[in-house]
Amino acid sequence: MSSAAKKLNEEEICLLGTSCAEVSFNAEDIIVKQNALSTNIAYIKEGLVKIHINGPIRERIMKIVKAPAYICLPSNFGDKINHFSATALEPTTVCFIDLNLFKKFIYDNGDFAYQIILDMSRGELQNFKNCLNNAQKQNIGRIADAILFFATEIYNSNTFNLPVTRQELADLTGITRESASRILTDFHEDKIVEIKGRQIVILNEGLLRQISEKG
Amino acid sequence: MSSAAKKLNEEEICLLGTSCAEVSFNAEDIIVKQNALSTNIAYIKEGLVKIHINGPIRERIMKIVKAPAYICLPSNFGDKINHFSATALEPTTVCFIDLNLFKKFIYDNGDFAYQIILDMSRGELQNFKNCLNNAQKQNIGRIADAILFFATEIYNSNTFNLPVTRQELADLTGITRESASRILTDFHEDKIVEIKGRQIVILNEGLLRQISEKG
DNA sequence: ATATCGGTGTGCGTTAAATCACATTTAGTT
DNA sequence: AACTAAATGTGATTTAACGCACACCGATAT
């Protein structure tokens, strides 16, 4: 997603090398935790991450982010507290960049700043789309959406392993685990998606898209 | 909201003056229209605006934006098409800034770029909060939320005139007009909020907050 | 092999909210 | 002042989805 890193010059990359801590995470490891103090930007170098918030009632997954991408911007620039958690869904490599260095890049390097703004713009549109889907589609449409999202945005294939549990799929789509489960079996029985545990094969993409559109 | 404009130097403000078109809008006037081509950034200089999207089923208000603020960033930076509409809710003054000029400011003026990124960060957090509220609260909590939002974020007073119709209030909270209407009368009967048409007086803020929290 | 535990599937009653239908108020026009 | 159109209120009905219950399955530990 983010190509901002490419915009850094040699000198800046050198600076990065010295003041950036690269850390590896396994699936389900917490990368950043909501409400914790933070003075870092996290650059997702490799892997897949969920951004989630502890809501008033239950957990809510705001989005799934694929490397490469910067996260924690909204946290750090508002106050110094993380307003959400980030958890690895697959083995993930993260570079923690000092906030001041990041700020320096923005000030000194217009290309970099512009790319960051581009990324954030795309992110906002994505958020709008998510909100819309969640607000106006019924459960079956949301699950169809989520499956298509993983197929097209994350894995570029109609065959893939779900990187999330049923509960997480529910948290992502804003429905209950039970409803998510029921809809998956429906899809399976109707031969729209072959489902075996976390293994997914989209059999009838056309129909799945129709379900997603119609809500 | 946005203080980015303050970060422009004299030369830049001069440039702005020559290549920026200032336009006045009345309530309900469309400022930018979804799906239209666009090569401008809109700077809301004065007034109140709703950002809304034509969803699969019905209209959806993504957010209410108070001057001063930049909008259309997500539109312009993705492709050249507006991904949402913006409509004035009150008399509003807008400066349309050429995209290239805006880009130049970002490249040349680190302060400006940083401020824009700050604004967008705050915006993203706000979006997250909205999504969360809409996803996990029941109707009564969402309406309580909306009333508190206008009181605290927009008017800084417990007495104000709703800048939106009942239908818009419903579109903002993601519920139906009928449900919104019913809840408002409930609030009125329970002496939580005095409601007379669009005139709002919050009588029992504590209880309203409790309703908002509990969902 | 047995026990334990987290994740999962599924039936059923309950409920919040949408939908439909219509009455009523308000605002803007002739 | 009368008339239209739009916005709003309110009751009755229907429905999607939740919440609860429990059964099941496949790991890992004992």
Side-chain angles (χ1 to χ4, degrees), chain A residues 39-211:
Chain A
T39 53
N40 289 298
I41 300 291
Y43 172 67
I44 311 295
K45 195 176 174 184
E46 190 66 50
L48 195 68
V49 167
K50 67 167 173 174
I51 305 296
H52 50 116
I53 299 188
N54 224 281
I57 297 161
R58 59 177 106 90
E59 187 82 0
R60 171 84 203 192
I61 298 177
M62 300 311 295
K63 54 179 176 179
I64 306 272
V65 176
K66 190 171 72 163
Y70 288 92
I71 58 172
C72 294
L73 287 148
S75 288
N76 279 290
F77 284 104
D79 40 40
K80 293 282 178 256
I81 293 166
N82 288 319
H83 289 253
F84 49 71
S85 300
T87 302
L89 295 174
E90 291 175 356
T92 296
T93 314
V94 179
C95 290
F96 290 98
I97 304 170
D98 185 75
L99 180 58
N100 286 319
L101 182 63
F102 192 82
K103 198 167 158 180
K104 185 174 150 50
F105 288 164
I106 290 167
Y107 270 76
D108 295 352
N109 186 333
D111 266 336
F112 183 77
Y114 186 67
Q115 281 299 321
I116 293 292
I117 290 174
L118 259 174
D119 287 348
M120 295 186 81
S121 295
R122 275 192 280 266
E124 180 157 18
L125 280 183
Q126 192 63 43
N127 281 341
F128 281 0
K129 202 182 134 195
N130 278 348
C131 277
L132 205 62
N133 284 339
N134 288 331
Q136 301 197 352
K137 284 182 185 174
Q138 46 190 90
N139 288 356
I140 188 167
R142 299 190 203 179
I143 293 294
D145 249 25
I147 293 172
L148 287 168
F149 167 77
F150 284 118
T152 61
E153 310 277 325
I154 303 295
Y155 297 111
N156 297 311
S157 163
N158 279 349
T159 305
F160 60 90
N161 285 319
L162 260 189
V164 292
T165 65
R166 298 291 191 269
Q167 181 64 61
E168 286 173 318
L169 184 63
D171 292 340
L172 177 65
T173 49
I175 68 179
T176 56
R177 181 190 61 77
E178 293 94 322
S179 295
S181 186
R182 269 185 266 267
I183 289 165
L184 287 182
T185 31
D186 285 352
F187 281 168
H188 188 70
E189 281 170 5
D190 297 347
K191 308 235 183 276
I192 300 168
V193 182
E194 183 163 332
I195 296 163
K196 202 177 169 188
R198 289 198 181 189
Q199 287 169 46
I200 300 284
V201 182
I202 298 176
L203 299 174
N204 191 340
E205 186 179 332
L207 187 49
L208 197 60
R209 274 194 196 284
Q210 226 172 296
I211 291 168

Side-chain angles (χ1 to χ4, degrees), chain B:
Chain B
M1 222 205 212
S2 162
S3 49
K6 287 176 200 152
K7 300 291 179 182
L8 298 176
N9 63 34
E10 273 187 46
E11 186 197 347
E12 287 165 338
I13 287 170
C14 181
L15 261 172
L16 248 189
T18 56
S19 50
C20 143
E22 189 169 317
V23 185
S24 290
F25 294 93
N26 291 317
E28 285 160 63
D29 286 350
I30 297 166
I31 298 170
V32 302
K33 197 153 170 50
Q34 187 177 356
N35 296 325
L37 280 167
S38 155
T39 54
N40 289 300
I41 300 291
Y43 173 67
I44 312 295
K45 194 176 175 185
E46 191 66 50
L48 195 69
V49 167
K50 66 168 173 174
I51 306 295
H52 49 116
I53 299 188
N54 223 282
I57 295 160
R58 57 176 107 92
E59 188 83 359
R60 171 85 204 192
I61 298 177
M62 299 313 296
K63 55 179 175 180
I64 306 272
V65 176
K66 189 171 73 162
Y70 288 92
I71 56 171
C72 295
L73 287 148
S75 287
N76 279 291
F77 284 105
D79 41 40
K80 292 281 178 256
I81 293 168
N82 288 319
H83 288 254
F84 48 72
S85 300
T87 302
L89 294 173
E90 291 176 355
T92 296
T93 313
V94 180
C95 290
F96 290 97
I97 304 170
D98 184 75
L99 179 58
N100 286 319
L101 182 62
F102 191 82
K103 198 167 157 180
K104 185 174 150 51
F105 288 164
I106 290 169
Y107 270 77
D108 295 352
N109 186 332
D111 266 336
F112 183 77
Y114 186 66
Q115 281 300 320
I116 292 291
I117 290 174
L118 259 174
D119 286 347
M120 294 186 80
S121 295
R122 275 192 279 266
E124 180 157 17
L125 279 183
Q126 191 62 45
N127 281 341
F128 282 180
K129 202 180 133 195
N130 278 348
C131 276
L132 206 63
N133 285 339
N134 289 329
Q136 302 198 350
K137 284 182 185 171
Q138 46 190 89
N139 287 356
I140 189 169
R142 300 189 203 179
I143 293 293
D145 248 26
I147 292 171
L148 287 168
F149 166 77
F150 284 117
T152 60
E153 309 277 326
I154 304 294
Y155 297 111
N156 297 311
S157 164
N158 279 350
T159 306
F160 59 91
N161 284 319
L162 259 190
V164 292
T165 65
R166 297 291 191 270
Q167 180 64 62
E168 285 173 318
L169 184 64
D171 293 340
L172 177 66
T173 49
I175 68 178
T176 57
R177 181 189 58 80
E178 292 94 323
S179 294
S181 185
R182 270 185 264 265
I183 290 165
L184 287 184
T185 31
D186 285 352
F187 281 169
H188 187 71
E189 281 170 5
D190 297 347
K191 308 235 182 277
I192 301 168
V193 182
E194 183 164 332
I195 296 163
K196 203 178 169 189
R198 290 198 180 189
Q199 287 169 46
I200 301 284
V201 182
I202 297 175
L203 299 174
N204 190 341
E205 186 179 333
L207 188 48
L208 198 59
R209 275 194 195 284
Q210 226 173 296
I211 291 168
S212 158
E213 306 268 307
K214 292 215 174 175

